Amino acid sequence: MPDARNWFEPLPEYRRRRFPACRREGIELCLEDGRRLINFAGNDYLGLSTHEAVCMGARGALGEAVGSGASRLVSGDDPLMHRLEAKLARWKGFESCLLVGSGMLANIGLLQALAGRHDHIFADRLNHASLVDGARLSGASLHRFHHLDMAQLAGLLVRHPAERRMIVSDGVFSMDGDCANIPALLALAEAHDTLLVVDDAHGTGTLGRDGRGLTALHGVAGHPRLIEVGTFGKAFGGYGAFILGPAELIDGLRQRQRTMIYSTALPVAVIAAAETALALIERGEQVQQLHRQLARFRAGIGGLGFMPSETAIQPLLIGEDAAALAMSARLAEAGFFVPAIRPPTVPEGTSRLRITLSAAHTDEQIDGLIAALKSAMEHGDG
């Protein structure tokens, strides 16, 4: 009979997820075995998680409290939360903003609040797990279209009419590094009378000269059919998330979004850090440095077989799990942390190295990684 010791089927060794203990020092990871590896796997795209001003902002708020003590609706919001919501809405070009505990909580709660069993959701097959789970938990009829296939999406919209429908997509896809066709998605939303939900977690702070993300890049931020999700856990270097949209929509979420209503509010130190990070992003120095480092990397990897991506996410498709693990290990021997991404995170047969660029990387570190990649491929790992 099963008990808590044998409830789960054992996983093959090559499929086991590992949680190595490591300490971060800037762009380096210090492992328990004493190795120091240059981190090319994180989402700290602007290096703000260790920026002196961002850390100082958090420390100042920590002098008053560590945790927030309750949910937002139980004991009220710190005024910093309202100030940051207003700043984010203005910066991103939307009427209103709602802060939520994390990107996972934002997407799950958002789709549950927007949709029910009589509604229909049309979702890209490569959407992040938070969007997948939110759609399933909403109880809506879920229709998934092939990645970036606008023709199939249009056909699904014709075949499945309903009073309330929404298209749901990542902005930048986290494992492929490619981008949703925002103008085409919005055109379909208008033609078929649907909402469009875009999770621009990886685009916010990285795309466009001003870092305002994918919807701003295409000039559609603030559209009445558009709802956008962003995060502080990536380019902002912190933790938490936010939802942007028309004022009426955001007010409706304040009354209905269970993952916000029944969660402890973000600590004020996290809010203060995010506000400082926003000021730095608006100045633009880190955003432009990221773009320079991305251009340097892309110039050096021509012919190596990388998947097409113009974002800070640069995936190298390997295929088999064992081959991806071997190449990751060879890069670690050379001093670079680039873990292999394997199923179920990515589809079977598409294991890969997911390299991410940061404004904190030096020219020498980028050139060193390119040389290590070429050497690993010469040894037959790629």
Side-chain angles (χ1 to χ4, degrees), residues 228-349:
E228 183 175 324
V229 178
T231 179
F232 300 132
K234 297 176 173 59
F236 277 72
Y239 188 75
F242 52 92
I243 301 169
L244 301 151
E248 297 86 352
L249 184 283
I250 296 300
D251 184 63
L253 293 178
R254 293 180 190 278
Q255 313 306 317
R256 296 170 177 84
Q257 183 155 337
R258 294 170 64 84
T259 56
M260 182 274 295
I261 295 170
Y262 298 107
S263 290
T264 299
L266 285 169
V268 178
V270 172
I271 304 301
E275 186 176 40
T276 306
L278 175 58
L280 290 169
I281 294 171
E282 288 183 296
R283 282 170 50 182
E285 295 171 10
Q286 285 81 14
V287 176
Q288 295 308 311
Q289 175 66 2
L290 171 63
H291 292 175
R292 285 191 290 270
Q293 299 306 66
L294 175 58
R296 186 182 191 92
F297 180 77
R298 284 172 54 79
I301 59 170
L304 296 186
F306 274 74
M307 297 170 65
S309 168
E310 297 181 1
T311 72
I313 301 166
Q314 295 288 309
L316 178 60
L317 183 63
I318 305 297
E320 295 301 319
D321 297 359
L325 287 166
M327 191 163 182
S328 174
R330 189 173 290 277
L331 291 176
E333 291 172 4
F336 301 99
F337 184 71
V338 184
I341 306 297
R342 296 159 286 156
T345 303
V346 294
E348 292 287 345

Side-chain angles (χ1 to χ4, degrees), residues 12 156 170 298 343 369:
L156 289 170
D170 278 0
R298 284 172 54 79
L369 175 61

Side-chain angles (χ1 to χ4, degrees), residues 165-178:
R165 302 184 296 175
M166 64 198 68
I167 301 167
V168 177
S169 179
D170 278 0
V172 176
F173 289 84
S174 60
M175 292 298 122
D176 286 36
D178 53 1

Side-chain angles (χ1 to χ4, degrees), residues 65-78:
V66 175
S68 58
S71 70
R72 297 185 64 173
L73 296 182
V74 167
S75 55
D77 292 338
D78 188 281

